[in-house]
Amino acid sequence: MDDRTRIELEAAAFRGLVEHLQNRTDVQNIDLMGLAGFCRNCLAKWYAAAAEKRDVEMDYDRAREIVYGMPFPEWKEKHQSEASGEQKRKFEETKPLHAKISGH
């Protein structure tokens, strides 16, 4: 596989993941962190970091808007619920496994 095709496939997979997460508003970020060690915010940080490496103007808020499909405060108001004690415990328990994001 040539590099261009690989990059196009990776980009398509990323878009699919973002679309899936935009549709699964019932899935809370804290649950994603506990199960997978990354969440929508992590994706936005990776996106912003990739833009920065390529000298593309992109701040974290704009990257989050791309990942969430709307401004983060709007998403939070519509879809984010208060974390339960169990969710918080799982988050803390899995912290060593959480994504390491360059520059953040």
Side-chain angles (χ1 to χ4, degrees), residues 3 31 38 46 48 60 69 85 98:
D3 282 346
D31 293 322
F38 80 98
W46 284 322
Y60 178 53
H98 293 179

Side-chain angles (χ1 to χ4, degrees), residues 51-67:
E52 183 179 325
K53 282 183 183 178
R54 288 158 184 80
D55 293 324
V56 173
E57 190 175 323
M58 171 74 57
D59 67 13
Y60 178 53
D61 287 335
R62 177 64 185 126
R64 283 207 304 188
E65 189 171 331
I66 290 166
V67 170

Side-chain angles (χ1 to χ4, degrees), residues 14-25 29 39-41 43-44 47 58 60-79:
F14 174 80
R15 287 189 300 271
L17 174 60
V18 167
E19 182 179 358
H20 179 70
L21 290 173
Q22 287 175 356
N23 290 328
R24 288 298 310 269
T25 57
N29 282 332
C39 69
R40 294 169 183 90
N41 292 324
L43 287 176
Y47 196 94
M58 171 74 57
Y60 178 53
D61 287 335
R62 177 64 185 126
R64 283 207 304 188
E65 189 171 331
I66 290 166
V67 170
Y68 282 89
M70 64 184 71
F72 178 68
E74 182 181 339
W75 190 93
K76 187 176 177 179
E77 183 179 313
K78 287 181 176 183
H79 305 295

